[in-house]
């Protein structure tokens, strides 16, 4: 069952969706495929990424890339060095974005629901901790025209979820008060950050439940049947 964090408030007027894990398959599935493509056991790869993250004093594995604090190429070289020096594993991560996005499907059912929301007059935005070099990849997966009214990307604004500043910025972009916004995100910490900023939040666990929860919060009437088309979760 989808976890919904909310208050008793007027209907939501702006829906902000995450990208990875919501508009795409679960990140854990993509990580498994990524490890296979770069030829490194997943447990070793994640340990190496964790060490690079820890050594940089970052809070999570994506913080270095999506603010960004270092380039994607530099991050890849650091991970390769840890794999070689600490785990005795030789690896060439190449262009990580190519391996991460290559063949990765979109969650077509969720994207169809976002289109339905816009057709019912709801503001729809993409609010993502996004790596700058991944811009062309995600746009090829989910072309934004006709889906999103606005894009708020961490690397463009210099702050990231779950920081309050990014939620304040996104609400201002939508032109509505915080209580009229909802975040749909697969990470509990990001949902908690949204709630702390005065938003409501739907923790995304599967498409049908998220569709139902967002429809209830917005008071709109998108076609629930869309949640059954191409659900990748």
């Amino acid at each position: 069952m989808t976890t919904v964090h909310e208050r008793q408030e007027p209907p939501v007027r702006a829906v902000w969706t995450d990208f990875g894990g919501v508009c795409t398959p679960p990140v854990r599935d993509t990580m498994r495929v990524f490890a296979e493509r770069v030829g490194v056991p997943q447990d070793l790869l994640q340990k190496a990424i964790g060490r690079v993250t820890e050594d940089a004093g970052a809070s999570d594995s994506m913080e270095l890339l999506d603010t960004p604090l270092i380039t994607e190429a530099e991050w890849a070289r650091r991970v390769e060095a840890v794999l070689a020096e600490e785990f005795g594993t030789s690896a060439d991560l190449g262009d990580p974005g190519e391996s991460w996005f290559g063949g990765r499907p979109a969650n077509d059912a969720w994207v169809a629901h976002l289109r339905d929301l816009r057709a019912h007059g709801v503001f729809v935005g993409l609010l993502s901790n996004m790596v700058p070099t991944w811009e062309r990849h995600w746009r090829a997966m989910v072309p934004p025209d006709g889906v999103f009214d606005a894009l708020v990307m961490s690397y463009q604004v210099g702050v990231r979820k779950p920081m309050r500043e990014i939620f304040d910025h996104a609400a201002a972009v939508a032109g509505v008060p915080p209580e009229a916004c909802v975040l749909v995100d697969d990470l509990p910490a990001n949902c908690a950050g949204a709630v702390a900023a005065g938003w409501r939040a739907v923790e995304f666990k599967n498409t049908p439940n998220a569709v139902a929860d967002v429809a209830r919060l917005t008071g709109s009437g998108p076609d629930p049947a869309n949640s059954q088309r191409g659900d990748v979760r």
Side-chain angles (χ1 to χ4, degrees):
M1 178 63 183
T2 303
T3 302
V4 182
H5 309 267
E6 62 171 306
R7 303 176 179 87
Q8 293 301 314
E9 302 281 3
V12 161
R13 293 157 51 198
V15 174
W16 289 92
T17 181
D18 183 30
F19 190 79
V22 180
C23 292
T24 75
V27 173
R28 64 178 179 275
D29 295 347
T30 306
M31 176 59 77
R32 174 181 52 78
V33 173
F34 177 73
E36 292 173 354
R37 286 177 173 168
V38 299
V40 179
Q42 185 176 344
D43 61 334
L44 290 186
L45 181 59
Q46 291 184 303
K47 286 178 182 178
I49 291 172
R51 179 57 58 85
V52 170
T53 303
E54 180 182 350
D55 289 348
S59 61
D60 66 60
S61 60
M62 292 302 297
E63 183 181 3
L64 293 176
L65 292 171
D66 62 30
T67 307
L69 301 177
I70 62 175
T71 66
E72 184 182 25
E74 172 61 21
W75 175 86
R77 304 297 83 79
R78 291 187 188 185
V79 173
E80 290 167 356
V82 171
L83 285 168
E85 296 166 8
E86 299 192 22
F87 299 106
T89 298
S90 177
D92 180 2
L93 300 189
D95 178 348
E98 292 287 349
S99 297
W100 186 258
F101 280 90
R104 191 183 190 191
N107 183 347
D108 292 333
W110 180 247
V111 174
H113 178 59
L114 298 177
R115 291 182 183 276
D116 283 341
L117 287 169
R118 291 190 76 230
H120 284 79
V122 178
F123 177 100
V124 175
L126 178 62
L127 179 56
S128 178
N129 291 346
M130 183 64 72
V131 181
T133 50
W134 290 1
E135 184 86 6
R136 64 185 177 89
H137 297 295
W138 79 256
R139 285 178 176 271
M141 282 182 63
V142 182
D145 291 347
V147 180
F148 305 115
D149 292 294
L151 311 172
V152 172
M153 303 296 193
S154 58
Y155 79 89
Q156 293 176 329
V157 297
V159 289
R160 67 195 302 271
K161 297 175 293 184
M163 298 169 67
R164 183 186 183 107
E165 292 87 347
I166 199 167
F167 296 111
D168 291 344
H169 176 75
V173 168
V176 300
E179 61 270 19
C181 294
V182 63
L183 173 70
V184 183
D185 200 294
D186 62 321
L187 296 183
N190 291 341
C191 291
V195 172
W199 289 33
R200 281 167 279 187
V202 171
E203 185 181 327
F204 189 95
K205 295 180 178 178
N206 62 70
T207 303
N209 285 343
V211 166
D213 292 333
V214 170
R216 177 173 55 81
L217 289 170
T218 59
S220 64
D223 182 3
N226 281 338
S227 65
Q228 305 302 321
R229 299 200 302 265
D231 185 4
V232 297
R233 296 192 58 102

